[in-house]
Amino acid sequence: MNNIKSILFTAIILLTGLFTACDKDDDKSAGNTTLEVFGPSPALRGGELTFIGRGLDQVVKVILPEQIVITDIRQVNKERIQIVIPQDAEPGFVSLELANGKTLVTKTKLTYTEPIVFNRFSPAILKPGNEITIEGDYLNLIQKVIFADDVVVEFKAFKTWERSKIVLDVPMTAKTGNITLADTAAIPIEIVSKEILEVVLPNVHEIQNLLDKKPGDVITIKGNDLELVEKIRLGEKNEVEFARQDDDLIFVLPENAADEPVVLITYSGEEVIAANLVMAMPEQLAIVKGTGIKGGDLITINGVNMELITDIRFENVENAIVPDSKTTARITVAMPENAHSGELTLNTGSGKTVAIMIETLKPIVESYDPTNVPAGQAVTLKGSDLDLVTAITFGGDKTVDVIATSAVELTVTVPVDAESGEIILTLKNGETVICSSLAVEKPECCYIPVLPEESVNGSSVLIVEVKNGEKLTDVQLNGLSVQYILLGDQLYISIPANANGNTELKLISSNGEIAYMIDIIGSNIIETTVFEGLHNLGNWVNFTLDASALQGLKSGMYMRVFYITNDTNETWWQMKLMSQQAGWPALDNYSAPNDIMDMGYVAGTVQVLDVSLTDNDVNNLVATGLAIGGHEVTITKITIVEERSQAVVIYEGPKDVGNWAGYAEIGADKFAGAKAGQRVVVKTSDVQADAQGSFKSPNGWGEIASGTEYFDITGDFELPVTAETLLKLQESGLIIGGKNYIIQSVSLK
C-alpha cells in the first residue's frame, strides 16, 4: 500500500510540476530577451530542459549548478530553446548568458525527479515487424516510444505496458537510430537511449549486372529480408510493379527501361541497390541499299535486336519516323521526301541510339545543249535523274524554278542577267548539287542587265538600264506597245494605269527580242477618256457616242459626264442618259419622272455627273452606244472609270491539288466586300505540262461561271468577277481545284 501511495504521489508531481512559470518576482529580462517559463521541473537528468520567452536566440550559454556550462543549445525558434541535462547536474538556479554579455537568472530552482529509468532494450538488432522489449522503472508513465526520424508508436499499440517493461512491434517504417521514451505533456519528458537500435535492411545475395536486357524480360532479385521492400525503382523515377515468389522479388522490364540501377525501397524509405541494368541495343547493322535513295524508297536494315527500335530520325526531317515493319532481325522504313544524306539514327525505348549512313540519289548532268547559250535563251541539261530538280541557279546567283518532265533532259530559259559559271541544282528535298560551268553569252539585241527587284506601280514611269539600246525598235506590255524614251543607257517606259499583276515586258530590237516578267501594282482608279470636245444640247440636240468607243466598258465600272449649263435666260436645264438601243431607253438608274433629270445651275462652271451602270446598261452601251439628250447643257468630256481595290489574300497555301484530289475551299464570308469587276487571282507553283485549273461552287459543285469547270493552265490564273458570279460567291463561296499544280495563295483584286 505504501508503495502504491508513493507511485501516485510521484505521478501527481510529474503531471503538475512539469514547468515553472516566472511570476512578477521571477520575471527576468535583459533588453529584448525575456525568460517567461522553463521546465520541466522537477526534470530528468539525461532529458531535455526547455526555456520559453522572447529573443532567446540571443542565448549563447546555459549554466546549470554547479557551474556546468552548456553551449550545445537547440534553437527551436526565437521563443523556444532546449538543452540536454547532463547526468551530473545539481539542483539550483539556472543562468542564461546572452550574446551581449548580460545574464538572465531564474528565481525558481531547477529540481530533479528520478522515477523513470530507461535501462535497456532488446534485441539490439531486429527486423521491422518484430517485437522489441524496453526495460527500466516507472515505464508505465511513458506514453510514446519514438524511433529515429520521428516514427512514433503510441501506448495504445503497446503489447505490454508495465512499470518495468514495455513490449511493442517495431513499425515497418522504423530506421536505425536511438530510441526515445516520452510522455504527452506540452513540454514532454523525453529520455533517449544511449545505445543505437540497428534496424535490419533487405540484403541481396550480390549486386547483379543484368546485361543485354530487353523490355519484357523477367528479372528476379534474390536475397534476405526482401519482405521489407515496398517499392522497386529503376534509376531515379521509373517505379515498376513487382510480385513476391517464395523469398524472391520478380518484375518485368518496361518498354522505357534504360541503363540504370535497380533500387529496392523499404517501407522506411531506405534504398538498397540490388542490380545494375544494361539494356541491349541493335547491333551488326547492315543496310540493304544505302546509296542512291530517293523519297518514297523503302529502306531495309538488317541486324540483331532490331525489334528494340522505336523510331528513326533522318537528316532534315523534323519528326522521327516509326518503322513500317520490324522483326528481331530487320526493319523497313520509307524514305521521307525531304530527307537528306547523312546519319540515319535508330532510337530505342531505353534512350540508346545507333546510326548508319545513307546517301540520297543525286542527278547527274552530262552535257549542256548548247554549250554556249545566249542569255534569255533556252538551254537543255542532259543526264540522269533530272526529274528530282525543282530549281536551277545560274552564274550571278540567278535562280529559276523548273518543272521537270523527264529524268534525262531538262530545258530551262537562262535569265538575261545570268553570268557564266557553275550550275547549282536544287532538289525536291532541298539538297543541292554543283555541276560543271555553263558559258552564258550576253544577248546581241537590246536587253536589261538587271531587272527591278520591287513591284512597279501603274500610271508611273519605269526606269531601267539597257544594253544595245541602239537596236531597240519597240517596247510592249502584254503584247501592247507602250510609250518609251531611250536616253543613253537609260530606258524610260510609261506604265499604263490599267496595267496590273504579273505582266510580260518585251523589248523588240532590229535583231531579235527578249521578254521579262514584272509585277505591276495597278492604280486604284483608272479613268479612260472616250469623248472630249464641246457638244451643246441646246433644245434637245442629241449627243451620240458610237459603241466602238465603249468596248472597254465592263461590269463594275461607271461613267463620268463632264458638262456646263449654258448661261441663258432659261431657268431650267435638263439632261437625259440613254442607250442607242431601239427606242433609245433611259439607263436603268436614271428613269426619273418623264425620263428627265433636273441638273441645277452653276453658269459657266464645269460640273461632273458620276453615272452608275447596271450590267444591263453595260451590255446595251457596248452593243449600241450612248445617247444624251437635254436642254441648255453642253457636254465637254465623257470618261469610263474603274475602281480597283488592292489585292486582298483570301486563302493561304500551299495546297497540292494532285490529280483532282485536293482543292482549296474559300467561304462566302471572304467575298462579303467583293465587287463586280474584280478578279480572283490564283498564285501557283510546280505547274506540270498537263495541268488544269477549275472554279466551282460548293453548292452542288457546278462550274461557277461558263467554261470554268476545267481549263488548261501554264501558271497563275484568274476568275473575272461579274455581277452573276459575285452573287454565287457571296452565297456559297468558291472551290478551286484541278490537277498537277500547287495553290500557293488566292487573292481578290
Side-chain angles (χ1 to χ4, degrees), residues 89-268:
E90 297 293 334
F93 298 104
V94 180
S95 299
L96 306 182
E97 186 173 315
L98 309 182
N100 61 10
K102 295 183 179 182
T103 302
L104 298 179
V105 181
T106 64
K107 286 294 186 179
T108 304
K109 290 184 177 181
L110 173 63
T111 60
Y112 303 98
T113 184
E114 314 287 347
I116 301 176
V117 177
F118 188 173
N119 287 333
R120 60 190 295 269
F121 61 81
S122 62
I125 302 174
L126 53 67
K127 187 189 306 182
N130 291 349
E131 284 187 353
I132 186 171
T133 299
I134 299 171
E135 299 179 68
D137 200 4
Y138 293 104
L139 298 181
N140 55 316
L141 301 179
I142 295 300
Q143 295 164 310
K144 294 190 294 186
V145 175
I146 306 171
F147 295 88
D149 284 354
D150 291 327
V151 176
V152 177
V153 179
E154 301 282 354
F155 66 91
K156 293 180 180 179
F158 294 171
K159 300 173 75 172
T160 300
W161 188 22
E162 300 174 349
R163 172 176 170 174
S164 60
K165 181 170 61 176
I166 295 175
V167 179
L168 70 154
D169 290 335
V170 176
M172 294 298 289
T173 54
K175 295 182 179 180
T176 296
N178 297 98
I179 297 176
T180 301
L181 307 182
D183 62 10
T184 56
I187 301 180
I189 294 174
E190 293 184 346
I191 305 174
V192 181
S193 67
K194 295 179 181 178
E195 294 79 17
I196 299 292
L197 171 66
E198 184 176 340
V199 178
V200 172
L201 293 175
N203 178 39
V204 297
H205 290 163
E206 63 176 345
I207 297 178
Q208 304 178 65
N209 288 318
L210 304 174
L211 305 178
D212 294 326
K213 294 301 177 182
K214 300 180 181 181
D217 285 355
V218 177
I219 305 299
T220 300
I221 304 296
K222 296 181 176 293
N224 300 321
D225 304 315
L226 297 183
E227 71 274 14
L228 302 177
V229 175
E230 181 185 21
K231 302 174 184 177
I232 295 180
R233 191 184 69 221
L234 305 182
E236 294 296 325
K237 298 179 180 179
N238 194 11
E239 288 189 10
V240 295
E241 295 184 0
F242 68 95
R244 303 181 192 275
Q245 188 177 81
D246 298 328
D247 295 330
D248 302 333
L249 303 180
I250 299 174
F251 65 93
V252 177
L253 286 179
E255 289 294 330
N256 60 349
D259 291 358
E260 50 200 358
V262 178
V263 182
L264 309 181
I265 305 174
T266 68
Y267 290 93
S268 63

Side-chain angles (χ1 to χ4, degrees), residues 550-629:
L550 300 174
Q551 294 309 298
L553 187 61
K554 296 179 181 179
S555 177
M557 297 181 180
Y558 62 91
M559 190 161 53
R560 182 169 284 171
V561 179
F562 297 78
Y563 65 93
I564 302 174
T565 53
N566 298 337
D567 187 6
T568 68
N569 294 323
E570 299 290 348
T571 58
W572 56 276
W573 300 264
Q574 296 176 332
M575 188 161 59
K576 181 179 180 181
L577 305 174
M578 304 164 287
S579 71
Q580 295 186 51
Q581 194 178 10
W584 282 24
L587 301 184
D588 290 343
N589 294 327
Y590 298 90
S591 56
N594 301 317
D595 294 331
I596 293 176
M597 297 182 59
D598 294 332
M599 305 304 298
Y601 172 57
V602 182
T605 302
V606 176
Q607 298 179 75
V608 178
L609 172 65
D610 285 338
V611 181
S612 61
L613 302 173
T614 66
D615 285 350
N616 182 56
D617 292 335
V618 170
N619 292 334
N620 290 337
L621 292 172
V622 170
T624 65
L626 172 70
I628 303 177

Side-chain angles (χ1 to χ4, degrees), residues 406-455:
S406 167
V408 296
E409 285 191 355
L410 181 58
T411 300
V412 60
T413 299
V414 179
V416 294
D417 49 350
E419 304 287 343
S420 296
E422 291 177 331
I423 299 297
I424 301 175
L425 308 180
T426 300
L427 313 185
K428 292 179 180 179
N429 64 358
E431 289 185 286
T432 57
V433 175
I434 299 177
C435 304
S436 59
S437 293
L438 172 67
V440 177
E441 299 176 352
K442 292 303 179 181
E444 295 183 358
C445 58
C446 182
Y447 69 95
I448 303 172
V450 181
L451 286 171
E453 295 182 358
E454 299 180 351
S455 299

